[in-house]
Amino acid sequence: MIYSNNNIRTADLFSIAKSGVNASNQLLNTAGHNIANVNTEGYVRERTNFQSQLTGGVGQSTTERVLNVFAQNQLQRDTTLQSEHENFYNKTAVIDNVFASEANSISASMSRFFGAVQTASDDPTSLAGRQLVLGEAKSLVGQIGTVSGFLRDKEEELNLEISANVKTVNSLVQTIADLNDAIVVNQASNPNDEPGTLKNQRDSAILELASLVSIEVRQSSGNDGRVMVNLTSGESLVLQDGSFNVLEVENDADLNYVSLQLSSRDKPTVLNVDENELGGAIGGLLRYRDDVLEISRRELGQIALALTESINTQNRQGMDLDQQMGSEIFSLPEFVGLEYPDNANGASVVTGRITAGAAGEISSADYQVTINSVTPGAPSTLDVTVTALNADGTIIKDVNGNDITQNYPTADAQSGTFTKMLGGVELEFSSGATYTPGDQFLIQPTKNTADKIEVIMTRPEDLALASPIRLDTDIGNLGDAELVSIKVTNNFVDNTFTDSKASGFDGAGGLHGPGSSPTGAGGVGAPVQIFFTANDEYEVRDSAGNTITTVSSVTDLNNLMAQAEGSAGWPAAFSALDDYPGFELSLQGEPKAGDTFTIGYNTDGLNDNRNGLTMADLQNKNSMLVNNSGSGSPASFHEAYANIVSDIGQQAASADIALQAADALKSQSSDWFQSVSGVSLDEEAANLVRYQQSYAAAARLLSTAQNLFDTILAVVR
């Protein structure tokens, strides 16, 4: 017998040799398995360990994967980061290429349109020049429609991609849960060998899941081989009990703006997912949507609406070649409020449109309209609250950090009546008293309207290049005062004055005379004459010579109508209107007592190009809001479009740099993981030689044991 460390080895030489052969054979199988799977994606190399037996020989073997959990977790995190930046950059780069392309430049189309207006103004009686303006107008709205339609298609494409990725996430979560169950069963029946193939499949599914969303992976507290998977924001995907949660694509009022919810399998629980922390490919797509696509759609719509409404307003303030008041060149679409799914009355309708003349108030915001209360009557009225929203649904703050919201306690609720709201938008509540308190509607003035603008003017004669009013200086004036400017600010015709937008124009080639002015105006007509009683005092008179008001202590001759409106004698009936009489004039020089200036309709002023020049100069005016908070100076149309191009370009450039950094990190973590868990053919080749030698030695020992046994048998015979 052999004694060692007070332990008695009872195994014979034959058993020891046999265990050595089996152990070497197991090692050769493991090395062969590693070599065979050198090109298998997701394979983690395996290692077989043995324990020696106290009785002699090799004991129980254990085969396990060679894995560094820290390297694996780092690879998962870097995969998530790289996938997010890759998706964000690839999508943003496409948008950047469209806006940066000269062929798609809306700025160039605007320049051509305003250039055509300038050319037509040089010869206002030329029909060819006027026709060119209409042609360039169609080209402009066509270019805007092309880019807007492209962005609309990108939204539809994005939604399909998000839905496909969500289905993949759900499939992977199901796969991980199923593999958890299989691993538990396998380990219970074979505790000495790790189910490497199953775990490799699970790790591959987890890594693919990490490319889609940011996750955290933890071992089950029961140490049964399961793993639990959570979103980084905390929500569970695969639970310890083997159940799992499912990501669902949901939406609110805007069916095209998808959002994600987490619903528990076999349970009624539904959780909203924090999309800002989602990460991965889906997080990159959502960030691209919120930071690039949706913002650019709305800002493009803002430019389109503000531009066309500005042109419409200016043309309405002019006189056409038929000596009629100007009409609209473009038709601006109305937009229907989207209902929130929790609305009690699904039949209620809210319709919106851009307020005429409110181009400078248009923002890129959405608006949430909340019905607070309903007062039945004739007409019924509503108490509504309007809140400005960002593209992602968050409330816009003003420069002081306060929510931009406004309450309207007595909005008329009847068909055909529009109430002016925030952002140059007016709303029609056509459902009367049937609205339900608590119901909400989402108004999106700029998101889906840019490609719906149309040129409705067909006759070049309708282009209003002339000013509808002129100022005549009395030939007997003694002073040297002369006209600096005269402009129309409002020419809305309503001879009944039931609409507060009514102007002093009667729609028949003249201004309101005595007896046709608003009730309560004291019988006077629209102001048509400025009569100086002194060099610092003037009277405003109507067409019959009636004095409307007297302005004293005049220090300058700018905006004489505004000074008259501020005087004590200005009729209250005029002040009750939004902009009456709807024109303004300024003089320069030194007037004398008795000097008279007469305002009249510009009859036969066919060669007048004043309104055309003003229209052409719209491209140089800073009339657009640059942000929704109200901060910053207004910008021109060209500057606003340049801001869109610049913002998208900056996003694309930053995303490119971030992607390069993420690629480097993922490559580094992958190398680290492979250095530990990857198969090295050189190492396995060396192991083969060593295992072959140990196998041969064990076999030789077995042969020696056989010879000794034969010798003993021969002795005893």
Side-chain angles (χ1 to χ4, degrees), residues 246-383:
V246 179
L247 280 172
E248 295 181 342
V249 176
E250 297 290 340
N251 45 62
D252 215 336
D254 186 356
L255 300 180
N256 291 318
Y257 189 88
V258 300
S259 58
L260 300 182
Q261 288 185 334
L262 202 62
S263 63
S264 179
R265 186 182 66 173
D266 301 328
K267 299 176 183 178
T269 306
V270 175
L271 299 174
N272 291 323
V273 176
D274 187 352
E275 297 174 355
N276 293 324
E277 297 184 16
L278 199 56
I282 296 179
L285 293 175
L286 295 175
R287 185 158 64 91
Y288 151 76
R289 178 193 67 184
D290 293 340
D291 294 352
V292 179
L293 180 60
E294 292 298 329
I295 291 178
S296 61
R297 288 189 69 185
R298 286 164 171 79
E299 290 181 346
L300 177 62
Q302 178 192 11
I303 292 175
L305 292 176
L307 172 64
T308 51
E309 177 53 35
S310 294
I311 296 170
N312 275 350
T313 298
Q314 196 60 54
N315 199 70
R316 288 194 300 265
Q317 293 173 357
M319 184 181 74
D320 63 24
L321 203 58
D322 296 326
Q323 302 185 53
Q324 302 297 316
M325 300 297 296
S327 57
E328 295 187 341
I329 299 176
F330 305 95
S331 68
L332 276 58
E334 293 186 348
F335 30 89
V336 178
L338 305 175
E339 294 185 71
Y340 283 80
D342 294 333
N343 282 6
N345 185 0
S348 298
V349 177
V350 175
T351 305
R353 68 185 184 190
I354 298 300
T355 301
E361 302 175 31
I362 299 173
S363 72
S364 62
D366 293 345
Y367 298 96
Q368 182 186 70
V369 179
T370 303
I371 308 296
N372 301 319
S373 64
V374 181
T375 303
S380 299
T381 59
L382 305 177
D383 183 312

Side-chain angles (χ1 to χ4, degrees), residues 435-693:
Y435 293 97
T436 302
D439 283 358
Q440 293 182 316
F441 300 87
L442 180 63
I443 305 296
Q444 297 177 313
T446 59
K447 178 180 178 180
N448 297 305
T449 52
D451 55 348
K452 297 179 182 178
I453 298 172
E454 298 179 349
V455 176
I456 58 174
M457 182 174 287
T458 58
R459 299 175 66 247
E461 294 89 345
D462 293 336
L463 197 62
L465 302 179
S467 173
I469 60 173
R470 63 176 178 230
L471 185 71
D472 294 323
T473 303
D474 192 278
I475 194 171
N477 285 358
L478 300 177
D480 61 356
E482 60 182 5
L483 178 68
V484 174
S485 68
I486 182 169
K487 61 181 179 180
V488 176
T489 58
N490 176 33
N491 65 350
F492 184 80
V493 176
D494 179 15
N495 295 327
T496 65
F497 298 97
T498 56
D499 195 318
S500 63
K501 297 192 295 290
S503 69
F505 292 92
D506 61 12
L511 300 170
H512 292 139
S516 60
S517 56
T519 302
V524 297
V528 298
Q529 190 180 82
I530 303 296
F531 178 78
F532 282 90
T533 57
N535 64 349
D536 62 350
E537 182 178 276
Y538 63 89
E539 294 178 353
V540 179
R541 299 175 175 177
D542 65 12
S543 58
N546 300 315
T547 300
I548 299 173
T549 187
T550 300
V551 183
S552 303
S553 302
V554 177
T555 57
D556 66 71
L557 302 179
N558 292 319
N559 301 323
L560 298 183
M561 284 294 107
Q563 294 187 52
E565 292 172 18
S567 67
W570 189 255
F574 289 178
S575 298
L577 300 174
D578 296 340
D579 183 7
Y580 190 89
F583 49 81
E584 186 57 88
L585 70 151
S586 298
L587 304 176
Q588 67 178 6
E590 183 72 22
K592 299 293 184 181
D595 285 359
T596 304
F597 298 87
T598 303
I599 304 166
Y601 196 79
N602 192 17
T603 305
D604 296 330
L606 302 181
N607 287 315
D608 189 336
N609 65 356
R610 286 176 293 162
N611 198 58
L613 294 176
T614 303
M615 188 184 299
D617 194 48
L618 287 176
Q619 66 174 326
N620 301 318
K621 291 189 176 297
N622 296 327
S623 57
M624 274 200 63
L625 296 177
V626 294
N627 58 62
N628 297 331
S629 66
S631 62
S633 301
S636 67
F637 301 120
H638 287 288
E639 290 172 339
Y641 183 75
N643 287 340
I644 298 179
V645 177
S646 176
D647 289 345
I648 296 175
Q650 186 272 330
Q651 291 268 25
S654 298
D656 188 19
I657 295 173
L659 176 59
Q660 293 180 39
D663 284 338
L665 288 174
K666 182 181 178 182
S667 177
Q668 187 178 26
S669 60
S670 179
D671 291 344
W672 180 22
F673 178 79
Q674 289 298 324
S675 69
V676 176
S677 301
V679 176
S680 170
L681 291 178
D682 292 338
E683 180 181 352
E684 297 301 331
N687 287 338
L688 279 178
V689 173
R690 185 158 60 93
Y691 300 155
Q692 286 173 344
Q693 291 176 346

